[in-house]
Amino acid sequence: MIIISCLSTIIGTCLKLRYDVGELSTSEDLDMCAILLGIGCMLLWILALHYLAFEKVFSLLFLVLDRSALPVLRFLLCIFVVYMGFVLCGWAVLGPYNVKFLSFTATFQCLLALMNGDEVYVTMAAADGGSQLAYWFNSIFVTLFLFLFAILALNMFIAIYNTTYEKIREDKEEEKSDLMTFIGGWTAALYTLDLNECCTDNSTGCSGILCCKPNA
C-alpha cells in the first residue's frame, strides 16, 4: 500500500505539472491525474491506521479484521454467486415490466440499492400494472431478495466477526508471558523426592548427608 500510494502520488503530481505548463490539455488527462492523486491520498490515510494499532483496543480491532478476512471473502464469494442469480432472474422476468430492471446494469444497481434498504417501495410500485403475474412476481422477488440479503447476509457478517472476536479474547486470556511460561514449566512433580535415589554412602559424594535427586 505504501508503494502504490507513493507511485500514485508521484505520477499524479507529474501529470498535474504537465497539465499546468500546457503539455496536457484534455479532460481525460485531468481526470486521470485526479484519480491517481485521490487514490494516493486515500491509501495514505488508510496507512495512518498503522499508528493506531499501538493502542490496545484498536490493536484488537485490527486483529479481528485480519483473522476474519479469509472467512469473509469466502462468504462474499458465495453471496456474489447467489446475487448474480437474482440479477439475471430479475432482468429476464421483470425487464419488460419494471423500469428499474430494463438492463443488466440497471438490475445490478437496483438490487445493490435494495440491499442497502433504498427505494424499496419505489421498486415494488414501479412494476407495470398491466400484467398481474409480473406485478405479483415483482413483489415476491423483491421481498425474498430483501430477506436473504438485507437480513440473513448482514447477520452472517456479524456472526463471523463476533466468532472471531470471541476466539481472540479466549486466546489472549490463555496467553502467558515468557516468565509465566518458564515458571509454569516447573511443576511440583519435579521437586518430589524419590527414595530410591537417596544415598548415605560417602563414596557417592554425599559426605554422609542424605541427598536426593529430583524426578526427571
Side-chain angles (χ1 to χ4, degrees), residues 98-115:
N98 196 323
V99 67
K100 291 182 173 293
F101 297 93
L102 287 178
S103 64
F104 178 82
T105 304
T107 305
F108 189 94
Q109 295 173 351
C110 176
L111 294 183
L112 188 62
L114 289 175
M115 191 185 303

Side-chain angles (χ1 to χ4, degrees), residues 15 19 24-35:
L15 291 177
Y19 186 85
L24 300 177
S25 58
T26 61
S27 59
E28 288 79 6
D29 296 330
L30 187 61
D31 292 339
M32 180 59 64
C33 171
I35 291 174

Side-chain angles (χ1 to χ4, degrees), residues 58-117:
F58 289 107
S59 176
L60 180 61
L61 174 62
F62 297 147
L63 188 59
V64 170
L65 294 176
D66 180 54
R67 290 193 182 182
S68 59
L70 187 57
V72 167
L73 289 177
R74 292 173 180 172
F75 179 71
L76 285 177
L77 178 60
C78 298
I79 287 297
F80 180 76
V81 173
V82 180
Y83 182 81
M84 290 303 299
F86 272 87
V87 171
L88 294 174
C89 178
W91 178 33
V93 178
L94 300 174
Y97 302 99
N98 196 323
V99 67
K100 291 182 173 293
F101 297 93
L102 287 178
S103 64
F104 178 82
T105 304
T107 305
F108 189 94
Q109 295 173 351
C110 176
L111 294 183
L112 188 62
L114 289 175
M115 191 185 303
N116 295 324

Side-chain angles (χ1 to χ4, degrees), residues 97-202:
Y97 302 99
N98 196 323
V99 67
K100 291 182 173 293
F101 297 93
L102 287 178
S103 64
F104 178 82
T105 304
T107 305
F108 189 94
Q109 295 173 351
C110 176
L111 294 183
L112 188 62
L114 289 175
M115 191 185 303
N116 295 324
D118 299 333
E119 300 182 352
V120 177
Y121 175 77
V122 175
T123 304
M124 289 186 175
D128 187 4
S131 175
Q132 290 296 323
L133 181 62
Y135 176 80
W136 286 109
F137 181 87
N138 177 78
S139 301
I140 297 174
F141 177 81
V142 173
T143 303
L144 181 62
F145 179 83
L146 290 175
F147 179 76
L148 288 177
F149 285 87
I151 299 176
L152 293 182
L154 180 59
N155 289 332
M156 283 296 298
F157 272 111
I158 297 175
I160 291 174
Y161 286 115
N162 282 341
T163 303
T164 306
Y165 176 75
E166 294 296 333
K167 186 176 181 180
I168 291 176
R169 285 194 60 185
E170 293 177 359
D171 293 342
K172 284 188 173 294
E173 289 177 358
E174 297 176 357
E175 188 177 302
K176 297 181 180 179
S177 64
D178 295 338
L179 178 60
M180 295 303 298
T181 303
F182 175 77
I183 295 176
W186 294 85
T187 60
L190 293 175
Y191 300 99
T192 58
L193 299 180
D194 187 359
L195 296 179
N196 295 327
E197 299 294 335
C198 295
C199 60
T200 55
D201 189 1
N202 293 335

